[in-house]
Protein backbone atom coordinates (compact mmCIF):
# COMPACT_ATOMS: atom_id res chain seq x y z
CA UNK A 1 0.00 0.00 0.00
CA UNK A 2 1.35 3.43 -0.94
CA UNK A 3 1.73 6.02 1.73
CA UNK A 4 -0.09 9.31 1.13
CA UNK A 5 0.69 12.70 2.54
CA UNK A 6 3.69 14.97 2.65
CA UNK A 7 6.30 12.24 2.36
CA UNK A 8 9.14 13.47 0.14
CA UNK A 9 12.22 11.83 -1.22
CA UNK A 10 14.88 13.69 0.76
CA UNK A 11 17.50 13.43 -1.99
CA UNK A 12 15.15 14.96 -4.54
CA UNK A 13 14.40 18.03 -2.42
CA UNK A 14 17.81 18.68 -0.87
CA UNK A 15 19.53 21.69 -2.39
CA UNK A 16 23.23 22.43 -2.14
CA UNK A 17 24.06 24.68 0.78
CA UNK A 18 25.60 27.36 -1.46
CA UNK A 19 22.36 27.76 -3.48
CA UNK A 20 20.19 28.72 -0.51
CA UNK A 21 19.36 32.35 0.13
CA UNK A 22 19.29 33.49 3.74
CA UNK A 23 17.18 36.34 5.07
CA UNK A 24 19.13 39.59 4.99
CA UNK A 25 21.90 38.16 2.82
CA UNK A 26 23.10 40.45 0.07
CA UNK A 27 24.14 38.95 -3.19
CA UNK A 28 24.72 40.01 -6.76
CA UNK A 29 23.28 36.73 -8.07
CA UNK A 30 20.81 37.17 -10.93
CA UNK A 31 19.09 33.80 -10.54
CA UNK A 32 17.59 32.79 -7.21
CA UNK A 33 16.68 29.21 -6.41
CA UNK A 34 13.05 28.37 -5.80
CA UNK A 35 11.42 25.67 -3.71
CA UNK A 36 9.16 24.29 -6.43
CA UNK A 37 11.28 22.02 -8.60
CA UNK A 38 8.82 22.30 -11.49
CA UNK A 39 9.35 26.06 -11.83
CA UNK A 40 12.30 27.90 -13.27
CA UNK A 41 14.37 29.91 -10.80
CA UNK A 42 13.34 33.54 -10.46
CA UNK A 43 15.40 36.02 -12.43
CA UNK A 44 16.43 39.12 -10.47
CA UNK A 45 17.18 42.44 -12.15
CA UNK A 46 20.20 43.89 -10.37
CA UNK A 47 20.96 47.59 -10.57
CA UNK A 48 23.85 46.82 -12.93
CA UNK A 49 21.66 44.72 -15.25
CA UNK A 50 18.96 47.39 -15.31
CA UNK A 51 21.54 50.04 -16.20
CA UNK A 52 22.79 47.81 -19.02
CA UNK A 53 19.18 47.34 -20.15
CA UNK A 54 18.51 51.10 -20.15
CA UNK A 55 21.74 51.74 -22.07
CA UNK A 56 20.74 49.16 -24.71
CA UNK A 57 17.21 50.62 -24.99
CA UNK A 58 18.59 54.13 -25.44
CA UNK A 59 21.07 52.96 -28.08
CA UNK A 60 18.17 51.43 -30.00
CA UNK A 61 16.16 54.66 -30.03
CA UNK A 62 14.05 54.45 -26.88
CA UNK A 63 11.56 52.09 -25.27
CA UNK A 64 9.10 52.11 -28.17
CA UNK A 65 11.65 51.57 -30.94
CA UNK A 66 13.74 48.94 -29.14
CA UNK A 67 12.79 45.29 -29.61
CA UNK A 68 13.50 42.49 -27.12
CA UNK A 69 15.58 40.60 -29.69
CA UNK A 70 17.88 43.59 -30.31
CA UNK A 71 18.13 44.37 -26.60
CA UNK A 72 19.25 40.79 -25.89
CA UNK A 73 21.95 41.13 -28.56
CA UNK A 74 23.26 44.39 -27.12
CA UNK A 75 23.22 43.20 -23.51
CA UNK A 76 25.17 40.04 -24.39
CA UNK A 77 24.42 38.19 -21.13
CA UNK A 78 23.89 34.41 -21.27
CA UNK A 79 21.46 34.41 -18.31
CA UNK A 80 18.97 36.80 -19.93
CA UNK A 81 16.28 35.33 -22.15
CA UNK A 82 14.00 37.20 -24.55
CA UNK A 83 11.14 36.51 -22.11
CA UNK A 84 13.02 38.34 -19.33
CA UNK A 85 13.55 41.28 -21.68
CA UNK A 86 9.92 41.32 -22.88
CA UNK A 87 8.61 41.51 -19.35
CA UNK A 88 11.12 44.13 -18.24
CA UNK A 89 10.58 46.23 -21.36
CA UNK A 90 6.84 46.20 -20.76
CA UNK A 91 7.30 47.43 -17.19
CA UNK A 92 9.85 50.00 -18.35
CA UNK A 93 7.41 51.35 -20.98
CA UNK A 94 4.65 51.60 -18.38
CA UNK A 95 6.88 53.53 -16.00
CA UNK A 96 7.82 55.92 -18.81
CA UNK A 97 4.12 56.44 -19.62
CA UNK A 98 3.31 57.22 -15.99
CA UNK A 99 6.22 59.66 -15.75
CA UNK A 100 5.20 61.50 -18.93
CA UNK A 101 1.57 61.71 -17.75
CA UNK A 102 2.52 63.25 -14.42
CA UNK A 103 4.74 65.82 -16.16
CA UNK A 104 1.84 66.96 -18.35
CA UNK A 105 -0.42 67.68 -15.39
CA UNK A 106 -0.55 71.24 -14.16
CA UNK A 107 0.31 72.43 -10.64
CA UNK A 108 1.29 68.95 -9.46
CA UNK A 109 -2.26 67.55 -9.67
CA UNK A 110 -2.66 64.05 -10.99
CA UNK A 111 -5.10 63.14 -13.73
CA UNK A 112 -7.44 60.26 -13.00
Amino acid sequence: MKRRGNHRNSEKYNMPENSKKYKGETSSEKVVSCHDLNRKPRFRWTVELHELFVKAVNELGGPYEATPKNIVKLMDDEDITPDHIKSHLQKYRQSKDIMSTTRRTSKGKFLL
Side-chain angles (χ1 to χ4, degrees), residues 2-40:
K2 285 190 174 183
R3 183 177 173 186
R4 290 186 170 187
N6 291 334
H7 178 64
R8 295 181 178 172
N9 180 347
S10 61
E11 288 179 27
K12 182 177 180 181
Y13 290 94
N14 282 342
M15 297 180 76
E17 196 64 32
N18 61 0
S19 70
K20 293 181 182 176
K21 300 293 281 179
Y22 294 101
K23 194 173 187 175
E25 179 182 353
T26 58
S27 174
S28 62
E29 290 182 25
K30 295 176 273 189
V31 179
V32 179
S33 63
C34 64
H35 298 287
D36 186 356
L37 295 177
N38 295 326
R39 292 180 59 190
K40 293 180 184 176

Side-chain angles (χ1 to χ4, degrees), residues 36-96:
D36 186 356
L37 295 177
N38 295 326
R39 292 180 59 190
K40 293 180 184 176
R42 181 177 178 203
F43 184 84
R44 296 252 177 151
W45 282 91
T46 63
V47 173
E48 295 82 12
L49 274 177
H50 179 71
E51 288 172 354
L52 191 60
F53 170 84
V54 171
K55 182 181 175 188
V57 167
N58 290 333
E59 284 181 26
L60 293 168
Y64 294 98
E65 288 76 26
T67 62
K69 186 176 180 179
N70 291 333
I71 295 170
V72 169
K73 287 179 187 177
L74 281 178
M75 289 184 70
D76 193 33
D77 188 314
E78 69 274 355
D79 292 330
I80 298 177
T81 67
D83 286 334
H84 294 134
I85 297 293
K86 287 176 189 176
S87 174
H88 200 64
L89 182 60
Q90 185 176 29
K91 291 174 189 174
Y92 186 70
R93 286 174 176 166
Q94 288 173 347
S95 73
K96 290 293 182 188

